[in-house]
Amino acid sequence: MPLPPAPTKRAALLSPDAIDAPAHASTKAPRRGGRQSDDARGNGSQALELFDERSEGAAGGRPSASAARAPTPEVAQQIETKPRPALKPEAAPAAPAAPQGRAERPTIAPAASPAPRARSERGTQEATRARRSKSVGPAKLFVLDTNVLLHDPMCLFRFEEHDVFLPMIVLEELDGHKKGTTEVARNGRQTSRTLDALAGAKDADIAKGLKLDTTGHREAGGKLFFQTAPLDYTLPTSLPQGKADNQILGVVQALRDQYANDRPGQPKQEVVLVSKDINMRVKARALGLAADDYQNDKTLEDGDLLYAGSYALPADFWTRQSKTVESWQSGSSTFYRISGPIVPNLDINQFVYFEAPGEPSMYARVTEIRDKTAVLKTLKDYASAKNAVWGVHTRNREQNFAMNLLMDPDIDFVTLTGTAGTGKTLMALASGLTQVLDDRRYTEIIMTRATVSVGEDIGFLPGTEEEKMGPWMGALDDNLEFLAKGDGGSAGEWGRAATNELIRSRIKIKSMNFMRGRTFLNKYVIIDEAQNLTPKQMKTLITRAGPGTKIICMGNLAQIDTPYLTEGSSGLTFAVDKFKGWPHGGHITLARGERSRLADFASEVL
């Protein structure tokens, strides 16, 4: 593909060890990190130039991406000296703006940013988290529904300085769900063990409340209260009194009336019902009770904030960079070193592209970030027929980005998201067959998926593990048929049959139910329909990877079939957010469908 005009500075100005541009991590902090962060935070009213001049030590020092974004000494001191929330409600700090606190997401990340990120998706996400965790009022009392405990057994410790209340009917329902081998049953048993540990702690007094930090969870500063006495409440006659949901609503109403006024030695508290049941929350609001969803399981507040994996360079990028850019050649790739305030918006293995009318386009990947400079590496053009992968060539920009990740041996983990027909499965299989059969980089392809039905379940399936998974692997069969047809050429019927047999022998179909405890060595693992996985299931699958294994997670976040799972709480969203910026992981969101004009139009209008 055409490249931009040559820069003015020579590559001889670089240190010899910068030729290969490795993406490595280091713990060395930048020399001017504190001054840079202070200027970025304190001079927000001043107009910032699009690109700054290179710092004096940019060529000599080699701080890593993690070091360049480490908290400054002033910020670190503020974090160290921040007081821990008190255990008593009268001395507790202010409550967060949202109903639940986020103990695992402190406000360190926004404060540690070396430059303003108002225009980036990451800045919007971190600003939202900072607002949610800011304390603005007294501690609240959260009444938990049973489905919250069954959804997240650790939810008791996710409310920061706030208190938690469990009605007696919740314990009864929890006892009814503890039998079985399902995920719900396991969560129920784990919740029961957690409650037993809290109640059995030293100096525990159920009447006065159990301190939630006695079992080592120091982020929880509140207390756990059980319903130890009958509560007086009156519900409308239209609500059946014997139903468990209505009994919980009655408990919330009684607690609201009880905590509405100041009591001796304890101020009034706002009582909030937390439930995953939408109808439960609607009924509570109809009765004038405060209710909210359980928010802590959500990685993102809005699916639109998900990391896209690509970044569009401004139209005047080369004009403003003409004096500071450096370039050098290594093999068939060209490297560019850029600087300026655009660098803090970039992540390792993020793709950048420059497209402007009348100027040559550039497509590159961020391979290194050092302080205020970043190194870009041009991509291999898989849209060309000579670079086709198992007969497949890319048709748009995002597909070319994805193929560069799939074919890179230094990338161990790849996540692909996009609507139906964007080519996720086809590209993953084509690159897998090339690296297994041609390059011999991996020994075989292992494919699995979440077995969640779109409609009614058809029941048990006969046969072996692979035979049971056969009906779920229709996408695999369709893509293999296309790949075998394109690779067979004029080999005839016998040749095509031999090719299909060889391909099938190198692809193993496994069920996720039997992944626990396994270790994959030199395998190419494809996890299809990953949007239906929970974060816990995603962690279980990714941690199966042994030496030399590559994992590809694919899915469409608009087609989630698992109950109580949303775009923000999906395991695929969780993986994309956590692996963002890792030197050996990459993500790309495929934007345009290439299946057919009918499928593309249906994705837009239906």
Side-chain angles (χ1 to χ4, degrees), residues 330-350:
S330 179
S332 60
S333 300
T334 303
F335 292 84
Y336 297 90
R337 186 184 298 279
I338 64 173
S339 60
I342 195 176
V343 173
N345 294 332
L346 303 178
D347 286 296
I348 295 292
N349 288 332
Q350 185 176 13

mmCIF file of all heavy atoms in Angstrom, residues 330-350:
data_model
loop_
_atom_site.group_PDB
_atom_site.id
_atom_site.type_symbol
_atom_site.label_atom_id
_atom_site.label_comp_id
_atom_site.label_asym_id
_atom_site.label_seq_id
_atom_site.Cartn_x
_atom_site.Cartn_y
_atom_site.Cartn_z
ATOM 1 N N SER A 330 12.815 -1.821 8.544
ATOM 2 C CA SER A 330 13.232 -3.089 9.139
ATOM 3 C C SER A 330 12.467 -4.196 8.429
ATOM 4 O O SER A 330 11.267 -4.383 8.652
ATOM 5 C CB SER A 330 12.960 -3.115 10.641
ATOM 6 O OG SER A 330 13.355 -4.364 11.190
ATOM 7 N N GLY A 331 13.166 -4.911 7.560
ATOM 8 C CA GLY A 331 12.490 -5.921 6.761
ATOM 9 C C GLY A 331 11.560 -5.273 5.760
ATOM 10 O O GLY A 331 11.913 -4.335 5.053
ATOM 11 N N SER A 332 10.342 -5.755 5.710
ATOM 12 C CA SER A 332 9.347 -5.189 4.802
ATOM 13 C C SER A 332 8.476 -4.132 5.461
ATOM 14 O O SER A 332 7.560 -3.619 4.826
ATOM 15 C CB SER A 332 8.451 -6.314 4.263
ATOM 16 O OG SER A 332 7.788 -6.980 5.329
ATOM 17 N N SER A 333 8.750 -3.803 6.708
ATOM 18 C CA SER A 333 7.935 -2.849 7.455
ATOM 19 C C SER A 333 8.683 -1.540 7.639
ATOM 20 O O SER A 333 9.918 -1.513 7.719
ATOM 21 C CB SER A 333 7.541 -3.408 8.822
ATOM 22 O OG SER A 333 6.803 -4.601 8.687
ATOM 23 N N THR A 334 7.934 -0.459 7.719
ATOM 24 C CA THR A 334 8.470 0.863 8.000
ATOM 25 C C THR A 334 7.984 1.301 9.371
ATOM 26 O O THR A 334 6.802 1.143 9.702
ATOM 27 C CB THR A 334 8.017 1.883 6.939
ATOM 28 O OG1 THR A 334 8.426 1.415 5.648
ATOM 29 C CG2 THR A 334 8.623 3.250 7.202
ATOM 30 N N PHE A 335 8.898 1.848 10.170
ATOM 31 C CA PHE A 335 8.579 2.300 11.513
ATOM 32 C C PHE A 335 8.603 3.825 11.546
ATOM 33 O O PHE A 335 9.468 4.453 10.931
ATOM 34 C CB PHE A 335 9.579 1.746 12.536
ATOM 35 C CG PHE A 335 9.485 0.256 12.735
ATOM 36 C CD1 PHE A 335 10.149 -0.616 11.888
ATOM 37 C CD2 PHE A 335 8.736 -0.271 13.773
ATOM 38 C CE1 PHE A 335 10.068 -1.978 12.066
ATOM 39 C CE2 PHE A 335 8.645 -1.627 13.969
ATOM 40 C CZ PHE A 335 9.314 -2.492 13.112
ATOM 41 N N TYR A 336 7.672 4.413 12.276
ATOM 42 C CA TYR A 336 7.605 5.860 12.465
ATOM 43 C C TYR A 336 7.563 6.145 13.961
ATOM 44 O O TYR A 336 6.818 5.501 14.711
ATOM 45 C CB TYR A 336 6.350 6.453 11.806
ATOM 46 C CG TYR A 336 6.301 6.294 10.301
ATOM 47 C CD1 TYR A 336 5.716 5.179 9.723
ATOM 48 C CD2 TYR A 336 6.848 7.268 9.473
ATOM 49 C CE1 TYR A 336 5.660 5.036 8.349
ATOM 50 C CE2 TYR A 336 6.800 7.132 8.094
ATOM 51 C CZ TYR A 336 6.210 6.010 7.537
ATOM 52 O OH TYR A 336 6.176 5.866 6.176
ATOM 53 N N ARG A 337 8.360 7.108 14.377
ATOM 54 C CA ARG A 337 8.311 7.558 15.758
ATOM 55 C C ARG A 337 7.650 8.931 15.786
ATOM 56 O O ARG A 337 8.148 9.878 15.173
ATOM 57 C CB ARG A 337 9.706 7.648 16.361
ATOM 58 C CG ARG A 337 9.682 7.989 17.868
ATOM 59 C CD ARG A 337 11.093 8.166 18.411
ATOM 60 N NE ARG A 337 11.860 6.952 18.287
ATOM 61 C CZ ARG A 337 11.789 5.919 19.133
ATOM 62 N NH1 ARG A 337 10.974 5.992 20.183
ATOM 63 N NH2 ARG A 337 12.524 4.853 18.964
ATOM 64 N N ILE A 338 6.515 9.038 16.477
ATOM 65 C CA ILE A 338 5.762 10.280 16.546
ATOM 66 C C ILE A 338 5.727 10.758 17.988
ATOM 67 O O ILE A 338 6.051 10.015 18.917
ATOM 68 C CB ILE A 338 4.317 10.098 16.017
ATOM 69 C CG1 ILE A 338 3.545 9.125 16.902
ATOM 70 C CG2 ILE A 338 4.337 9.627 14.569
ATOM 71 C CD1 ILE A 338 2.074 9.012 16.551
ATOM 72 N N SER A 339 5.355 12.013 18.174
ATOM 73 C CA SER A 339 5.286 12.590 19.512
ATOM 74 C C SER A 339 4.088 13.529 19.581
ATOM 75 O O SER A 339 3.424 13.787 18.583
ATOM 76 C CB SER A 339 6.575 13.349 19.845
ATOM 77 O OG SER A 339 6.780 14.401 18.914
ATOM 78 N N GLY A 340 3.845 14.061 20.780
ATOM 79 C CA GLY A 340 2.767 15.012 20.962
ATOM 80 C C GLY A 340 1.676 14.503 21.874
ATOM 81 O O GLY A 340 1.706 13.366 22.354
ATOM 82 N N PRO A 341 0.680 15.332 22.139
ATOM 83 C CA PRO A 341 -0.406 14.939 23.060
ATOM 84 C C PRO A 341 -1.309 13.850 22.518
ATOM 85 O O PRO A 341 -2.185 13.377 23.233
ATOM 86 C CB PRO A 341 -1.183 16.251 23.257
ATOM 87 C CG PRO A 341 -0.866 17.064 22.062
ATOM 88 C CD PRO A 341 0.526 16.718 21.660
ATOM 89 N N ILE A 342 -1.118 13.437 21.262
ATOM 90 C CA ILE A 342 -1.901 12.320 20.748
ATOM 91 C C ILE A 342 -1.435 10.989 21.335
ATOM 92 O O ILE A 342 -2.189 10.018 21.392
ATOM 93 C CB ILE A 342 -1.806 12.285 19.207
ATOM 94 C CG1 ILE A 342 -2.886 11.378 18.626
ATOM 95 C CG2 ILE A 342 -0.434 11.840 18.752
ATOM 96 C CD1 ILE A 342 -2.923 11.368 17.124
ATOM 97 N N VAL A 343 -0.199 10.936 21.826
ATOM 98 C CA VAL A 343 0.387 9.686 22.305
ATOM 99 C C VAL A 343 -0.362 9.115 23.511
ATOM 100 O O VAL A 343 -0.612 7.909 23.570
ATOM 101 C CB VAL A 343 1.885 9.887 22.610
ATOM 102 C CG1 VAL A 343 2.488 8.650 23.259
ATOM 103 C CG2 VAL A 343 2.639 10.232 21.331
ATOM 104 N N PRO A 344 -0.750 9.917 24.530
ATOM 105 C CA PRO A 344 -1.476 9.325 25.674
ATOM 106 C C PRO A 344 -2.801 8.689 25.305
ATOM 107 O O PRO A 344 -3.337 7.910 26.091
ATOM 108 C CB PRO A 344 -1.677 10.525 26.619
ATOM 109 C CG PRO A 344 -0.598 11.475 26.258
ATOM 110 C CD PRO A 344 -0.402 11.325 24.793
ATOM 111 N N ASN A 345 -3.356 9.002 24.130
ATOM 112 C CA ASN A 345 -4.608 8.395 23.707
ATOM 113 C C ASN A 345 -4.410 7.035 23.055
ATOM 114 O O ASN A 345 -5.392 6.390 22.676
ATOM 115 C CB ASN A 345 -5.336 9.317 22.724
ATOM 116 C CG ASN A 345 -5.781 10.610 23.369
ATOM 117 O OD1 ASN A 345 -6.036 10.649 24.572
ATOM 118 N ND2 ASN A 345 -5.850 11.678 22.591
ATOM 119 N N LEU A 346 -3.178 6.614 22.874
ATOM 120 C CA LEU A 346 -2.877 5.374 22.183
ATOM 121 C C LEU A 346 -2.554 4.263 23.174
ATOM 122 O O LEU A 346 -2.162 4.517 24.307
ATOM 123 C CB LEU A 346 -1.688 5.576 21.227
ATOM 124 C CG LEU A 346 -1.840 6.670 20.165
ATOM 125 C CD1 LEU A 346 -0.570 6.769 19.331
ATOM 126 C CD2 LEU A 346 -3.040 6.398 19.266
ATOM 127 N N ASP A 347 -2.716 3.026 22.723
ATOM 128 C CA ASP A 347 -2.383 1.844 23.500
ATOM 129 C C ASP A 347 -1.510 0.933 22.657
ATOM 130 O O ASP A 347 -1.539 0.980 21.418
ATOM 131 C CB ASP A 347 -3.643 1.089 23.940
ATOM 132 C CG ASP A 347 -4.383 1.794 25.062
ATOM 133 O OD1 ASP A 347 -3.818 1.910 26.156
ATOM 134 O OD2 ASP A 347 -5.525 2.224 24.836
ATOM 135 N N ILE A 348 -0.756 0.077 23.330
ATOM 136 C CA ILE A 348 0.053 -0.902 22.621
ATOM 137 C C ILE A 348 -0.856 -1.812 21.785
ATOM 138 O O ILE A 348 -1.912 -2.247 22.242
ATOM 139 C CB ILE A 348 0.885 -1.736 23.618
ATOM 140 C CG1 ILE A 348 1.893 -0.837 24.339
ATOM 141 C CG2 ILE A 348 1.620 -2.860 22.909
ATOM 142 C CD1 ILE A 348 2.979 -0.305 23.451
ATOM 143 N N ASN A 349 -0.441 -2.081 20.546
ATOM 144 C CA ASN A 349 -1.166 -2.924 19.586
ATOM 145 C C ASN A 349 -2.485 -2.304 19.130
ATOM 146 O O ASN A 349 -3.351 -3.017 18.608
ATOM 147 C CB ASN A 349 -1.414 -4.328 20.151
ATOM 148 C CG ASN A 349 -0.154 -5.144 20.216
ATOM 149 O OD1 ASN A 349 0.772 -4.949 19.430
ATOM 150 N ND2 ASN A 349 -0.076 -6.063 21.173
ATOM 151 N N GLN A 350 -2.649 -1.021 19.325
ATOM 152 C CA GLN A 350 -3.790 -0.326 18.750
ATOM 153 C C GLN A 350 -3.452 0.079 17.313
ATOM 154 O O GLN A 350 -2.329 0.467 17.007
ATOM 155 C CB GLN A 350 -4.135 0.914 19.573
ATOM 156 C CG GLN A 350 -5.393 1.634 19.111
ATOM 157 C CD GLN A 350 -5.738 2.803 20.009
ATOM 158 O OE1 GLN A 350 -4.926 3.228 20.820
ATOM 159 N NE2 GLN A 350 -6.941 3.326 19.875
#
